[in-house]
């Protein structure tokens, strides 16, 4: 009998040891994962056309992070719905640090514009860091009769719904910048969406659309050559890339301020140690003079990193801002 009790006690102790060990290993698992990260290639996903500003930024980031993480960072474009298709794909990816999303200001606009998304622009992600802020430019073809933004506004007021403007797509920052101009200046210009910045420039030069809102870096060469006239940049002050183009506020549209941005995020639930590691590597990358210069050249903007908390607050405040513009402009939510 005593022997049987001893055997039972031995088995119970063994089982208790196994259970304690299992719990201990489970608690250690996230740390072990973070310490070994990354052990394979990482996917960097963005939601815009190849060759555009977002794609160029993604390739700069790919190079910078690959060197720091010791693994290839592979760029994948998934264009459509103003970046929503890519954001949804990131949100639904495994939260293991092997899928990173590059988003722009359109990410916050989606939260204001869409009645229902398959993901939350804030709550479905762990934010990593902002990277760069940049202005847009309001431009016409060189032979257009509007020489200034004031001329254009006067023409638009004289003929409501008679002028149209092109942008990279419905729900983009470019689109909403045009709508904010309508609201602020009291005009009624009609939006014409295109699939990508390059198509807007082609259509402008072909005379298919009289006005576009585009990225400064894409239009700078055409403006300098005289093929396109920049009427105003959308930031409160002039930009380094287009020093001879006035700001919209200088041109008489008081309170007009649109600066888009780009940042990086990962799926919700990504281990905190991995988020911390990625944020640190991103800050290191942004501090590198060559990377900083490349990003600023690609966007005509200003490199500015952030904490995850700061990026989260930015997206929240931008969503509120654009929600008001959408309401004021009477844009139906999708």
């Amino acid at each position: 009998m005593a022997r049987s009790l001893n055997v039972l006690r031995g088995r119970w102790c063994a089982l208790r040891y196994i259970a304690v060990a299992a719990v201990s290993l489970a608690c250690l698992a996230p740390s072990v994962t973070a310490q070994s990260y990354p052990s394979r290639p990482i996917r960097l996903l963005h939601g815009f056309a190849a060759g555009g500003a977002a794609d160029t930024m993604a390739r700069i980031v790919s190079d910078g992070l690959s060197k720091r993480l010791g693994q290839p960072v592979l760029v994948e474009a998934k264009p459509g719905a103003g970046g929503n298709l890519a954001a949804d794909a990131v949100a639904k990816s495994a939260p293991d640090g092997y899928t990173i999303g590059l988003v722009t200001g359109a990410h916050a606009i989606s939260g204001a514009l869409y009645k229902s998304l398959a993901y939350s622009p804030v709550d479905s992600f762990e934010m990593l860091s902002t990277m760069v802020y940049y202005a847009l430019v309001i431009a016409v073809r060189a032979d257009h009769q509007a020489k200034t933004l004031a001329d254009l506004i006067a023409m638009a007021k004289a003929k409501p719904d008679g002028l149209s403007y092109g942008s990279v797509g419905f729900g983009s920052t470019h689109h909403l910048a045009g709508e904010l101009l309508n609201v602020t200046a009291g005009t009624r210009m009609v939006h014409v969406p295109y699939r990508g910045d390059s198509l807007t420039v082609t259509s402008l030069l072909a005379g298919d659309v009289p006005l576009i809102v585009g990225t400064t870096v894409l239009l700078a060469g055409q403006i300098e050559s005289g093929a396109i006239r920049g009427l105003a940049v959308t930031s409160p002050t002039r930009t380094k890339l287009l020093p001879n183009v006035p700001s919209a506020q200088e041109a008489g549209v008081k309170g007009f301020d649109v600066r888009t941005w780009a940042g990086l995020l990962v799926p919700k639930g990504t281990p905190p140690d991995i988020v911390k590691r990625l944020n640190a590597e991103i800050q290191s990358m942004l501090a590198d003079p060559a990377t900083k210069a490349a990003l600023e050249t690609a966007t005509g903007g200003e490199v500015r990193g952030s904490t995850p908390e700061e990026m989260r607050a930015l997206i929240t405040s931008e969503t509120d801002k654009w929600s008001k513009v959408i309401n004021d402009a009477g844009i139906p939510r999708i």
Side-chain angles (χ1 to χ4, degrees):
M1 182 69 176
R3 183 177 178 183
S4 296
L5 286 173
N6 286 335
V7 169
L8 288 173
R9 288 194 192 100
R11 288 176 179 173
W12 181 84
C13 289
L15 288 171
R16 185 175 65 172
Y17 174 80
I18 291 170
V20 170
V23 170
S24 299
L25 287 172
C27 293
L28 289 172
S31 176
V32 170
T33 300
Q35 289 171 4
S36 62
Y37 172 85
S39 59
R40 54 186 170 86
I42 297 166
R43 179 173 65 152
L44 177 59
L45 193 60
H46 72 81
F48 300 91
D55 190 58
T56 302
M57 284 188 283
R59 296 184 189 285
I60 294 168
V61 170
S62 167
D63 182 61
L65 288 183
S66 293
K67 292 174 181 176
R68 287 165 175 79
L69 295 171
Q71 289 287 342
V73 177
L74 308 175
V75 176
E76 181 181 332
K78 194 177 181 66
N84 291 349
L85 296 182
D88 184 47
V90 174
K92 292 175 179 173
S93 296
D96 54 11
Y98 289 96
T99 299
I100 299 174
L102 186 154
V103 296
T104 67
H107 185 74
I109 289 174
S110 292
L113 184 60
Y114 286 79
K115 293 178 184 176
S116 177
L117 288 168
Y119 62 92
S120 164
V122 174
D123 295 334
S124 294
F125 304 95
E126 306 292 349
M127 309 305 166
L128 295 178
S129 175
T130 58
M131 298 190 302
V132 64
Y133 290 74
Y134 52 102
L136 305 173
V137 60
I138 301 164
V140 295
R141 206 166 70 170
D143 59 0
H144 195 278
Q145 63 189 91
K147 306 300 181 187
T148 66
L149 184 60
D151 291 343
L152 183 81
I153 290 171
M155 292 172 57
K157 285 183 174 180
K159 194 176 180 182
D161 299 321
L163 283 180
S164 58
Y165 71 95
S167 85
V168 298
F170 185 82
S172 64
T173 307
H174 307 57
H175 169 205
L176 270 293
E179 294 301 336
L180 181 59
L181 181 62
N182 275 335
V183 169
T184 310
T187 56
R188 274 179 24 202
M189 294 182 289
V190 179
H191 177 235
V192 180
Y194 289 89
R195 291 180 66 84
D197 251 334
S198 298
L199 289 177
T200 67
V201 177
T202 300
S203 293
L204 178 67
L205 292 173
D208 297 331
V209 65
L211 167 73
I212 63 172
V213 179
T215 52
T216 56
V217 68
L218 184 66
L219 296 178
Q222 300 278 7
I223 290 172
E224 289 171 4
S225 73
I228 290 175
R229 180 182 301 120
L231 298 181
V233 292
T234 62
S235 52
T237 58
R238 299 190 184 202
T239 67
K240 293 179 181 178
L241 190 62
L242 295 172
N244 297 320
V245 177
S247 69
Q249 294 199 36
E250 278 185 86
V253 186
K254 302 302 180 185
F256 187 86
D257 178 7
V258 178
R259 283 165 290 180
T260 191
W261 50 270
L264 300 169
L265 44 68
V266 288
K268 183 74 173 179
T270 299
D273 284 354
I274 290 179
V275 172
K276 184 177 179 180
R277 166 84 187 278
L278 286 171
N279 176 268
E281 300 297 2
I282 292 165
Q283 305 316 312
S284 171
M285 175 186 70
L286 296 179
D288 175 67
T291 301
K292 181 176 182 290
L295 285 170
E296 291 185 343
T297 299
T299 61
E302 173 192 1
V303 165
R304 196 190 313 167
S306 74
T307 64
E309 293 75 20
E310 288 168 339
M311 183 174 169
R312 183 176 297 273
L314 170 69
I315 295 174
T316 301
S317 65
E318 285 274 291
T319 301
D320 292 342
K321 169 186 174 177
W322 291 120
S323 183
K324 184 178 185 306
V325 171
I326 289 164
N327 288 337
D328 291 346
I331 300 171
R333 285 177 166 77
I334 301 172

